[in-house]
Amino acid sequence: MSQSNALRREVDAAPAPQAQSFDINPLPGPVGAEIIGLDLSRELTAADFSRVHQAHLDHHLLVFRDQRITPRQHIDFSRRFGPLMIHVLHQFHLAGHPEILTVSNIVEDGKPIGLGDAGKYWHSDISYKELPSLGSLLHAQELPSEGGDTLFANMHLAYDTLPAALRNAVVGKRAVHSYLAQYGQLQKEGNWRPNLSAQQIAQVREVVHPVVRTHPENGRRALFVSEGFTTHIVGMPEDESRALLAELFAHSVRAEHIYRHRWQPHDLVFWDNRSLIHLAGGTPDHLRRKLYRTTIEGDVPF
């Protein structure tokens, strides 16, 4: 038997994925649902995956409880939604898995093992690319006994509740997004951010996106600006741009737009970067926290 025929027979003999019984329970507040009873270490059937995909569109954020998955399984599940993005800070890629960014405040042998100040400012992941992120999946590896929450703000609600004057002010506006917007400040505030090489800087050139984007799958409009990456509005005087963005930032994160995620062991949280912005709630310095993140590539905002 030829090697190709043997391989084909092995593939044909592989058991088909089995349907799983799981519940989708909406979370209290303006965003999110938890998924109970689904094991992501197993391959999902097409029907189960379709149900998860629709829940993600309906709720913008999914919490998969108690996921005992490997980095490879994390990557494989993420890839079902689209190509994965490789973060510019290669220093914090998980060894052997460049698709995974380590988010951690742990220091070993005098060096940080991950990005310890990730999410210090409200942001949508990788909005500074021409093809910003569809969504991110963050898997808890080691959690502190206190702190470590992540906050998410619903940018569809933020747009829907804009006062008339603000809504009129953003019609047709476009804004610049830059990875470097807060980078220098973060370097001053802590020791997590390495100096970027010329090659890394070339990977994060400024881009321009609409201030209000239309979600390509659910058709809803959302604000698409954040204090973390949005620097200014194109074609406006600097002072007017700064004032308008300040109003939009403040409105976006009103309490009624926010869900606070209190992590449980082995949570995997999958959020839609086209619909939400998020913020790290902070962890006491003496408590260890480590999570693994994959990020899915999206499309050109419109």
Side-chain angles (χ1 to χ4, degrees):
M1 182 185 300
S2 71
Q3 185 175 0
S4 61
N5 285 339
L7 181 60
R8 190 177 301 115
R9 179 163 295 182
E10 286 181 18
V11 171
D12 291 342
Q18 298 296 307
Q20 300 186 52
S21 176
F22 60 95
D23 296 318
I24 302 172
N25 302 324
L27 294 164
V31 64
E34 64 175 0
I35 295 188
I36 305 296
L38 188 66
D39 181 359
L40 295 179
S41 70
R42 297 165 52 188
E43 183 182 355
L44 271 61
T45 65
D48 285 349
F49 178 79
S50 179
R51 189 177 170 207
V52 168
H53 182 204
Q54 188 59 52
H56 188 248
L57 294 178
D58 291 343
H59 300 285
H60 317 308
L61 178 147
L62 299 177
V63 181
F64 300 86
R65 299 292 189 188
D66 197 29
Q67 296 301 317
R68 313 294 179 114
I69 57 174
T70 65
R72 174 49 55 191
Q73 290 165 337
H74 182 172
I75 290 167
D76 289 345
F77 176 64
S78 304
R79 274 214 177 101
R80 292 194 68 168
F81 294 89
L84 300 188
M85 308 179 83
I86 307 300
H87 197 277
V88 65
L89 291 183
H90 58 78
Q91 295 92 335
F92 300 134
H93 293 169
L94 181 63
H97 300 288
E99 304 90 343
I100 289 180
L101 175 72
T102 302
V103 176
S104 179
N105 67 348
I106 299 171
V107 176
E108 294 180 350
D109 298 325
K111 294 182 179 180
I113 68 167
L115 189 55
D117 62 0
K120 193 166 185 177
Y121 295 93
W122 285 100
H123 67 289
S124 171
D125 284 335
I126 316 190
S127 71
Y128 49 83
K129 290 279 194 177
E130 290 185 7
L131 298 178
S133 168
L134 178 156
S136 299
L137 297 94
L138 192 60
H139 188 214
Q141 304 295 311
E142 190 171 350
L143 297 175
S145 57
E146 61 180 277
D149 297 349
T150 307
L151 286 72
F152 297 88
N154 186 329
M155 298 297 270
H156 294 303
L157 280 181
Y159 175 76
D160 292 343
T161 58
L162 277 177
L166 265 184
R167 184 172 297 205
N168 291 334
V170 299
V171 170
K173 293 293 192 298
R174 295 171 65 78
V176 174
H177 293 240
S178 171
Y179 179 65
L180 303 179
Q182 306 286 359
Y183 202 88
Q185 182 61 34
L186 288 167
Q187 284 188 311
K188 293 176 184 176
E189 294 173 356
N191 298 314
W192 305 105
R193 301 273 167 166
N195 291 327
L196 299 177
S197 68
Q199 184 179 22
Q200 286 174 306
I201 292 173
Q203 294 176 38
V204 291
R205 300 185 191 281
E206 292 182 346
V207 296
V208 177
H209 295 310
V211 171
V212 178
R213 71 176 296 179
T214 301
H215 194 291
E217 294 186 86
N218 66 30
R220 293 182 63 189
R221 292 183 177 182
L223 284 179
F224 195 57
V225 293
S226 72
E227 63 176 1
F229 296 135
T230 308
T231 59
H232 62 280
I233 295 176
V234 176
M236 289 187 72
E238 183 178 349
D239 57 340
E240 294 180 23
S241 169
R242 189 183 307 110
L244 179 54
L245 285 175
E247 286 191 82
L248 295 175
F249 297 159
H251 176 79
S252 298
V253 298
R254 291 171 59 176
E256 59 267 31
H257 300 156
I258 292 175
Y259 159 69
R260 176 183 286 268
H261 184 67
R262 294 178 170 86
W263 290 85
Q264 297 179 22
H266 310 291
D267 274 355
L268 176 73
V269 177
F270 176 24
W271 66 88
D272 193 328
N273 281 306
R274 304 163 297 185
S275 303
L276 310 177
I277 57 175
H278 61 282
L279 176 77
T283 302
D285 291 341
H286 66 286
L287 298 177
R288 293 165 59 99
R289 183 176 187 261
K290 181 172 73 171
L291 305 98
Y292 291 160
R293 193 189 87 186
T294 53
T295 307
I296 305 159
E297 184 178 80
D299 43 27
V300 177
F302 64 92

